């Protein structure tokens, strides 16, 4: 299944589950509490109606025909029922009974079922009739001349709760439809939201299937995380492509560089083996082969070092170290031996601390100093300086050789670049590229000050470390 679709389904499924739970629980809570409220209102209304009717009943010895009241013969007189006595109102019925259970006045739709039930001051009670539940309220009326009378009120709870029942029915039909619509809308919206994610997947798929490292995701809107993911993917591809290109270039440069010594060895051996040679000739041939072997070995070592540093700089942990000591040790080890005419000066500020890798820094110094030997004037000067400045720690290696023409100054830090004049000198063309890489690993800058015929000064600026 496509990545976007499975996430979409998951989002839709879980939002549906959560919606059903949230809506279902709120519905049950509302349904339950409104049932309670309606029941309690109903009861209060019933009690209220019965209590009002109590005041409408009076005993009279004779009828007073001027009033529009009802008169019911009772004992030695009449029960006078006020015209405001409510027999039925808003579904509430009221009926007046004597102590024996004879209906005297009013309406009682439940008379048949409940007639036999003796009256007691039990307050509210319930009865079933015709599939409906009724709430009943019995109220005793005791007055001197009246004796034992009962007023019974009743109201159908089923009818009063009917609106709630229809709301419930309607909700049970409508809510699932609404939830379904909401989930459907969410499903459609997530499609738009997850589009960049799908694009990432398609692009990654394209790259996995072929070598399309130049593949990018178009039309990214970076305001959300998915868009940012797509942007990060593009950046990653940019880096990957660049590093892949560098890798390709490096391999082709390396094979090109190795081809020269290999061809020399092959040509030399083929030529020498053509016929019998003198011991002297064999010796000369072996010397050529040995020299080229050395060159190849140096090339392979530098190439390995360079690609290691290029691919995993994290292999070289940086720790606080005393750069003054390290420079002195390396410079001393490379100092000219015997009575060389070369002036070799080491000017160091003491106890200069930086964060660095000892092996790499010693390699950097070796490369710069051996270049000064190789390209400088053999009877001239080499000066190695270390000083602490406000901008950082400055290390420089200076010679007074032929210098480097301006147009070559940028190029000499490139891999395998060797100026035409130095083609014959020993070296791999990787020395300065390694210097640059090591400086980068240390967060340092490297540059060159050189003028033709006035020598060269290579400068490294390390960041300050406290
Ligand atoms: P190589 O192995 O050829 O020395 P590098 O990367 O160390 O490779 O140097 C690249 C080129 O820069 C050299 O071939 C040389 O032409 C030039 N170069 C380096 N250092 C100096 C220097 N001190 N003086 C003059 N030219 C230099």
């Amino acid at each position: 299944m496509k990545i976007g679709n499975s996430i979409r389904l998951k989002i839709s499924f879980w939002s549906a589950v959560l919606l059903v739970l949230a809506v279902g629980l709120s519905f049950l809570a509302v349904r339950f509490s409104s049932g309670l409220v309606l029941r309690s209102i109903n009861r209060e209304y019933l009690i209220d109606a019965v209590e009002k009717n109590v005041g409408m009943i009076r005993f009279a010895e004779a009828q007073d025909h001027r009033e529009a009241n009802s008169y019911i013969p009772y004992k030695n007189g009449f029960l006078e029922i006020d015209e405001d006595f409510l027999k039925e109102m808003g579904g509430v019925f009221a009926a007046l009974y004597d102590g024996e259970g004879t209906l005297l006045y009013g309406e009682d739709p439940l008379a048949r079922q409940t007639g036999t039930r003796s009256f007691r001051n039990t307050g509210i009670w319930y009865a079933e009739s015709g599939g409906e539940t009724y709430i009943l309220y019995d109220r005793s009326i005791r007055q001197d001349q009246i004796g034992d009378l009962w007023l019974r009120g009743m109201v159908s709870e089923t009818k009063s709760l009917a609106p709630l029942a229809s709301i419930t029915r309607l909700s049970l039909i409508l809510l699932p439809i609404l939830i379904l619509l909401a989930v459907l809308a969410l499903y459609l919206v997530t499609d738009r939201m997850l589009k960049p994610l799908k694009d990432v997947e398609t692009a990654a798929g394209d790259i996995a299937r072929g070598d399309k490292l130049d593949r990018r995701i178009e039309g990214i809107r970076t305001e959300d995380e998915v868009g940012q993911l797509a942007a990060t993917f593009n950046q990653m591809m940019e880096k990957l492509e660049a590093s892949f290109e560098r890798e390709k270039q490096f391999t082709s440069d390396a094979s090109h560089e190795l081809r020269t010594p290999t061809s020399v060895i092959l040509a030399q051996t083929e030529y020498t083996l053509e016929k019998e040679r003198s011991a002297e000739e064999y010796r000369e041939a072996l010397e050529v082969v040995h020299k080229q072997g050395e060159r190849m070995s140096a090339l392979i070592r530098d190439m390995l070092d360079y690609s290691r540093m290029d691919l995993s700089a994290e292999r070289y942990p940086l720790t606080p170290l005393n750069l003054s000591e390290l420079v002195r040790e390396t410079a001393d080890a490379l100092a000219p031996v015997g009575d060389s005419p070369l002036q070799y000066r080491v000017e160091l500020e003491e106890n200069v601390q930086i964060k660095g890798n000892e092996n790499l820094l010693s390699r950097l110094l070796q490369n710069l100093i051996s270049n000064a030997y190789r390209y400088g004037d053999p009877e001239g000067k080499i000066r190695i300086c270390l000083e602490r400045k406000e901008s950082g720690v400055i290390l420089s290696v200076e010679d007074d050789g032929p210098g480097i023409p301006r147009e070559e100054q940028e190029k000499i830090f490139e891999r395998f670049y060797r100026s035409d004049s130095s083609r014959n000198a020993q070296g791999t063309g990787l020395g300065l590229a390694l210097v640059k890489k090591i400086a980068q690993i240390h967060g340092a800058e490297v540059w060159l000050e050189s003028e033709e015929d006035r020598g060269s000064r290579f400068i490294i600026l390390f960041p300050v470390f406290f």
Side-chain angles (χ1 to χ4, degrees), residues 133-411:
T133 306
Y134 280 84
I135 317 175
L136 295 99
Y137 176 63
D138 291 345
R139 167 72 153 86
S140 141
I141 305 168
R142 281 177 194 278
Q143 288 171 14
D144 286 348
Q145 290 150 306
I146 291 180
D148 194 13
L149 276 183
W150 286 90
L151 197 56
R152 171 168 287 171
M154 66 222 76
V155 63
S156 164
E157 193 176 62
T158 313
K159 277 207 183 87
S160 353
L161 293 183
L164 198 61
S166 31
I167 289 174
T168 307
R169 258 196 308 279
L170 197 69
S171 309
L172 285 178
I173 299 167
L174 273 183
L175 286 180
I177 295 176
L178 284 178
I179 291 177
L180 210 71
L181 284 177
V183 173
L184 199 74
L186 195 72
Y187 186 75
L188 295 175
V189 169
T190 43
D191 185 42
R192 263 179 70 83
M193 288 187 331
L194 294 174
K195 189 177 172 303
L197 202 64
K198 274 189 185 171
D199 293 345
V200 173
E201 195 230 12
T202 319
D206 284 353
I207 293 159
R209 274 186 293 280
D211 265 350
K212 294 193 214 154
L213 282 184
D214 57 344
R215 178 82 159 75
R216 299 288 179 274
I217 299 162
E218 311 288 341
I220 300 173
R221 287 177 303 143
T222 44
E223 64 260 29
D224 60 12
E225 287 83 350
V226 185
Q228 277 162 16
L229 172 76
T232 313
F233 177 87
N234 277 357
Q235 283 166 10
M236 183 192 79
M237 287 314 299
E238 205 77 53
K239 277 199 151 186
L240 210 65
E241 192 189 4
S243 117
F244 185 71
E245 281 306 316
R246 265 190 318 200
E247 201 63 14
K248 245 168 53 182
Q249 188 60 42
F250 186 72
T251 316
S252 108
D253 289 348
S255 15
H256 182 77
E257 289 298 315
L258 284 168
R259 197 176 299 144
T260 321
T262 323
S263 320
V264 175
I265 290 174
L266 286 176
Q268 183 68 44
T269 45
E270 268 166 31
Y271 168 76
T272 313
L273 292 171
E274 266 172 14
K275 57 179 187 187
E276 268 315 301
R277 306 270 178 195
S278 68
E280 187 55 29
E281 281 173 315
Y282 281 129
R283 182 177 182 78
E284 274 172 19
L286 272 179
E287 268 168 9
V288 171
V289 171
H290 182 248
K291 200 170 160 214
Q292 294 305 321
E294 269 183 341
R295 185 166 150 60
M296 283 169 78
S297 160
L299 250 174
I300 291 167
R301 185 203 60 200
D302 281 359
M303 274 171 4
L304 271 179
D305 288 347
Y306 184 85
S307 56
R308 256 189 222 133
M309 281 180 216
D310 201 23
L311 291 177
S312 46
E314 67 280 358
R315 273 190 203 206
Y316 305 95
L318 306 185
T319 48
L321 58 85
N322 187 329
L323 188 61
S324 312
E325 274 175 21
L326 181 71
V327 175
R328 174 162 301 116
E329 280 165 23
T330 322
D332 285 353
L334 293 172
V337 282
D339 44 351
S340 159
L342 194 76
Q343 290 178 42
Y344 189 78
R345 277 178 27 214
V346 183
E347 294 165 16
L348 304 179
E349 193 174 319
E350 290 304 319
N351 285 326
V352 174
Q353 300 279 331
I354 64 158
K355 226 175 154 191
N357 182 288
E358 207 171 307
N359 288 336
L360 294 186
L361 290 173
S362 149
R363 183 72 187 277
L364 173 143
L365 276 162
Q366 283 171 23
N367 286 356
L368 290 180
I369 299 172
S370 55
N371 273 358
Y373 271 110
R374 203 178 288 157
Y375 305 108
D377 178 355
E379 297 187 359
K381 285 187 279 191
I382 293 181
R383 193 163 151 251
I384 300 157
C385 290
L386 179 69
E387 55 185 330
R388 205 187 281 118
K389 285 261 172 80
E390 212 158 277
S391 52
V393 171
I394 292 184
L395 169 72
S396 63
V397 178
E398 194 177 340
D399 65 64
D400 59 354
I404 299 160
R406 191 155 288 276
E407 64 277 8
E408 280 190 21
Q409 289 186 4
E410 273 291 307
K411 295 185 193 149

Side-chain angles (χ1 to χ4, degrees), residues 55-181:
M56 304 295 157
I57 302 160
R58 211 161 47 86
F59 184 75
E61 283 171 359
Q63 294 187 27
D64 179 353
H65 292 292
R66 278 172 304 176
E67 300 216 13
N69 296 344
S70 303
Y71 289 89
I72 301 154
Y74 185 69
K75 292 194 175 168
N76 53 349
F78 297 94
L79 282 174
E80 188 186 333
I81 316 281
D82 195 283
E83 61 177 337
D84 286 340
F85 184 99
L86 300 171
K87 291 179 185 169
E88 192 272 323
M89 198 176 108
V92 178
F93 295 90
L96 181 65
Y97 283 94
D98 67 9
E100 274 77 48
T102 315
L103 178 64
L104 299 176
Y105 189 75
E107 275 183 41
D108 184 353
L110 300 181
R112 236 183 272 158
Q113 286 106 312
T114 57
T116 50
R117 191 183 192 279
S118 58
F119 293 93
R120 253 180 287 147
N121 263 337
T122 47
I124 292 290
W125 58 286
Y126 290 87
E128 294 284 333
S129 168
E132 289 184 28
T133 306
Y134 280 84
I135 317 175
L136 295 99
Y137 176 63
D138 291 345
R139 167 72 153 86
S140 141
I141 305 168
R142 281 177 194 278
Q143 288 171 14
D144 286 348
Q145 290 150 306
I146 291 180
D148 194 13
L149 276 183
W150 286 90
L151 197 56
R152 171 168 287 171
M154 66 222 76
V155 63
S156 164
E157 193 176 62
T158 313
K159 277 207 183 87
S160 353
L161 293 183
L164 198 61
S166 31
I167 289 174
T168 307
R169 258 196 308 279
L170 197 69
S171 309
L172 285 178
I173 299 167
L174 273 183
L175 286 180
I177 295 176
L178 284 178
I179 291 177
L180 210 71
L181 284 177

Side-chain angles (χ1 to χ4, degrees), residues 371 374-375 399 404 412 417-419 422 427-429 431-432 456:
N371 273 358
R374 203 178 288 157
Y375 305 108
D399 65 64
I404 299 160
I412 57 166
Y417 182 82
R418 313 191 69 205
S419 70
S422 52
T428 58
L432 287 177
S456 323

